[in-house]
Amino acid sequence: MDSGTLHPASSKLADDLSHHLKPLARGGSLEVLTQLREALWFEEVEWVSPRSSQCRVSLHSFLMRQAQARLEFSGPRVCLRISPGLSLAEAVHHWRWTSLSLPGDVLIAAHAAATGQEPPADSVSLGAPELDGFFSETELAQTHLHLGAAIPFERLWTHLMAGIASQDLLPGDLKGTAGFVDTREFLCWLVTAALARLSLGSFLFHLEQGQAQDLGSFLPGLAKRTRPPQVFLGAMSALSQGKDPVSFAEARRLLRTLQGQPPERLQGDPLEVLEQRDPLFEWLGLAPTLPETRLIARSFRYLRTSPADKGFASLFWQYLRIRNLTYRHLVLAPGTGGLDWFSTHFRNISPLRKGMDERTRVCSALEMDSRGARLASLEVRTSPSAHWGDIRNLAREVKAAPFRREEPVARALVLHFIKETHTSRPDKLPNADPRQRAHGCRFGSYFHAREQEVLAIETVLRRHPRLLQVLRGMDVCHLELAVPTWVFVPLLQRVRQASARVAESSGGGLRALGLTLHAGEEFRRLSEGLRHIHEPVEFQLLQRGDRLGHALALGTKPRAWCRDNAVVPQPKEEHLDDLLWELDRVAHDDWLTPRGRARYVKEQATRLGAEIYGGSTALVDLRQARKLRGDAYFLATVGYPFMRSHELAKQWGPPGELAVRYLSDFAVYTRGRQPELVTVHPTDAAMLERTQQFLRSTLAALEITIEANPTSNMLIGEVALEHHPIFSLQPLPGKARKGVSSIAVALGSDDPVTLATSLPDEFAYLYFELLRAGVSRQEAQSWLRRVAEGGMRARFTHQPTGPGPRAP
Ligand SMILES: [Zn+2]
């Protein structure tokens, strides 16, 4: 910067930043963004010379300054810094956004370098010290965690860097490009990053021994250990310039040469093994932090003391750039709501954790959720294999995964069916399309595949009944709108019955599987979300003590929703189902229909029925036909998922025929999928309010617990934390509304790596949000305690009753 003018390179960076921030600023003024940027960039500038009007801000000093402003080390922990102008609650709020853009360990390392200390931890203790008392006294239950994402980024990165030389990861395995041209380029840079990491580490090691001076003169010596040396130097020079990487095969060969043989099969704690596999381990050894955090801290220290080593600076920043792009490849960015965005980020994880076994992931979940907290119960979810042996092994891993704590943590495995629009099939038809050759009905092949998984679960339970101590629940998750509820009715009933038989013959020592469904998380219209929450009750899937995941529709304010969603497109058949469901509820006296609504609903349903089925149909038949879909006996009688004969449906009369046409008629399918622009009716808000009250009292009477995942809902459901439905489901003292039942809630972290969170973090985020809203500390903590108790009560983990359990 020269007297208020940016250097051309900084100017370009500033323009790129504005371009990036504009859509996220939601109409905020560009001038304000510019002021913010200037304040952050040039807060404490370094003048090039005392008399010069030019100033320069080096990247390392900028980051170290930011780290010092945000963090402080307190014994073995890293805490957020409070200052006269910034309370802890505000600091936590700021951290929420920072942590979605940048891995926290980089700031921790920068702080360590700035203050001349060793980094004490790889992550920030968000609640410390204010929530220390709460966390040490309160038992926590993790009720909603997807095992595939239960790895903090820093550990995932270590796994990737340590293993990328030996794993046969190919460009086709990667699911996204992380901002590079294609997956091939992404992979080339990942392997090059591992090579650079090793080179930087080796250089810093030799520097400490007094055997190196600067990176430029050190690298040729290192290159001599590879053949031919020019290729290695070419790879490093390509990275320094950020273009034309060497091929991933070439880079991997170099990496193998430098790294030597991978260590023999290491025994012991999987998390320690993961660290010991890291080539940096030999130099840095075991410590409370990962070798990676210490490498970055040492690099910052070197940048500060040797600013003239430009070669080191460019290689290090390019390394950090690839690391950060990978972080953003995994972590959901704010402003990208919806389950579709989320699912692409979620898909990105699995190739990067290739080679990481399930036991390591379970250990990682145990460690992450007990950071600074008393984790008493851990449930992990994943999709079942169609091979029963895999499920048995997984259940055993969940039970046996070692954990370095005195107090044992109860563990459970929950298996979930994944809702998808497409499954890889030769005909490439969507799962909903009834033209599936062998099946001839909607979701036929999808259902058939899930049946194989059900069979595998039944086999495990039959052969190893004691595994019911660990295999504790079933779930349906992922793209909520892709597969309707009825598809899962026969499947879930079958699994539950199989587990009930095992529980019964155990003589009371075991309980049947619990059920939890992701429902009411994503919906086009609020009534659709509410219907999805009710259908598991309506179709008799949910039982006392079961749970629902998210159920955001239950706490969404109807009047605000109607105001913001005046016209919404929805497939005709889904709108018809909403109306038929409403008519059923009114017929059951579940709620009183608002004045002026009955005729409107009937007219709309009649019109839609005629449009979809190509002729007039009686409403009573349409209503009955919808209910038949959710009836496992009906589906079994008509041969679902193989619809060869329609004759069998005749015994149900016109409703049976309508149900069969819905399942198998392609014309009904295409007409039903047509979007209808649905306009809010003046009576909608009143109806939605009554529906929510009815659902709350129904769920409360059934003792159903709602699993809330605040960060997940903030990013995927675009629900601001301060407006999270959890505050209305479980009201604060004095805030309960008359006549509205409160519902037990449990907290989960959903997908920690994708959402940059953990169970203790979720508690902290909620707590400080309450403080920001003006709630007293005492009230906020007692509310937090109630939520923790809700989780402990609703947990699926085995609680021995009757004769003591034996190991399976
Ligand atoms: Zn989930």
Side-chain angles (χ1 to χ4, degrees), residues 149-184:
I151 321 138
F153 174 77
E154 60 272 16
R155 196 160 277 142
L156 186 59
W157 181 258
T158 292
H159 166 80
L160 182 67
M161 290 293 103
I164 205 162
S166 50
Q167 276 146 24
D168 46 357
L169 193 64
L170 294 171
D173 297 333
L174 294 173
K175 299 292 182 210
T177 64
F180 297 104
V181 174
D182 51 25
T183 53
R184 176 172 293 271

Side-chain angles (χ1 to χ4, degrees), residues 118-169:
E118 276 295 312
D122 300 311
S123 62
V124 177
S125 302
L126 282 187
E130 189 156 331
L131 284 176
D132 284 355
F134 167 80
F135 280 130
S136 67
E137 289 160 12
T138 318
E139 290 192 315
L140 303 187
Q142 167 67 275
T143 53
H144 193 131
L145 174 70
H146 296 273
L147 187 58
I151 321 138
F153 174 77
E154 60 272 16
R155 196 160 277 142
L156 186 59
W157 181 258
T158 292
H159 166 80
L160 182 67
M161 290 293 103
I164 205 162
S166 50
Q167 276 146 24
D168 46 357
L169 193 64

Side-chain angles (χ1 to χ4, degrees), residues 165-206:
S166 50
Q167 276 146 24
D168 46 357
L169 193 64
L170 294 171
D173 297 333
L174 294 173
K175 299 292 182 210
T177 64
F180 297 104
V181 174
D182 51 25
T183 53
R184 176 172 293 271
E185 200 199 38
F186 181 22
L187 183 60
C188 291
W189 283 129
L190 279 177
V191 187
T192 309
L195 203 55
R197 178 179 189 262
L198 201 62
S199 308
L200 293 169
S202 179
F203 165 68
L204 291 173
F205 170 76
H206 285 90

Side-chain angles (χ1 to χ4, degrees), residues 144 146 518 550 750-751:
H144 193 131
H146 296 273
H518 282 64
H550 302 290
D750 216 0
D751 300 285

Side-chain angles (χ1 to χ4, degrees), residues 166-366:
S166 50
Q167 276 146 24
D168 46 357
L169 193 64
L170 294 171
D173 297 333
L174 294 173
K175 299 292 182 210
T177 64
F180 297 104
V181 174
D182 51 25
T183 53
R184 176 172 293 271
E185 200 199 38
F186 181 22
L187 183 60
C188 291
W189 283 129
L190 279 177
V191 187
T192 309
L195 203 55
R197 178 179 189 262
L198 201 62
S199 308
L200 293 169
S202 179
F203 165 68
L204 291 173
F205 170 76
H206 285 90
L207 191 78
E208 278 179 10
Q209 310 293 314
Q211 297 164 351
Q213 284 186 335
D214 58 56
L215 191 77
S217 60
F218 173 78
L219 283 184
L222 191 63
K224 279 191 193 141
R225 289 168 51 190
T226 63
R227 289 277 170 275
Q230 292 85 333
V231 181
F232 171 77
L233 292 172
M236 291 301 94
S237 143
L239 180 59
S240 290
Q241 293 168 41
K243 57 181 188 192
D244 306 326
V246 300
S247 78
F248 66 88
E250 202 63 275
R252 191 174 272 159
R253 190 180 57 76
L254 292 168
L255 192 57
R256 279 197 200 121
T257 311
L258 285 180
Q259 245 174 255
Q261 285 297 315
E264 293 292 303
R265 251 196 99 70
L266 297 161
Q267 299 288 329
D269 184 308
L271 298 184
E272 280 178 19
V273 168
L274 192 131
E275 280 180 51
Q276 288 163 22
R277 280 213 195 100
D278 187 341
L280 297 178
F281 178 81
E282 220 178 303
W283 164 39
L284 292 167
L286 209 57
T289 53
L290 290 169
E292 174 79 15
T293 314
R294 286 172 280 154
L295 171 76
I296 301 176
R298 279 162 170 75
S299 299
F300 277 125
R301 216 174 291 153
Y302 178 70
L303 286 170
R304 197 158 84 142
T305 53
S306 309
D309 192 345
K310 303 287 180 220
F312 183 93
S314 61
L315 202 66
F316 171 72
W317 287 115
Q318 290 288 3
Y319 165 71
L320 221 53
R321 182 169 157 258
I322 292 166
R323 189 180 192 267
N324 218 45
L325 285 169
T326 309
Y327 186 74
R328 300 185 77 139
H329 174 65
L330 293 167
V331 176
L332 196 59
T336 51
L339 282 167
D340 299 351
W341 273 111
F342 164 75
S343 82
T344 58
H345 278 83
F346 189 81
R347 266 204 314 266
N348 293 341
I349 307 170
S350 71
L352 300 187
R353 59 149 209 259
K354 190 171 180 178
M356 183 187 279
D357 59 21
E358 281 145 344
R359 181 178 283 220
T360 308
R361 278 186 265 156
V362 176
C363 287
S364 170
L366 284 163

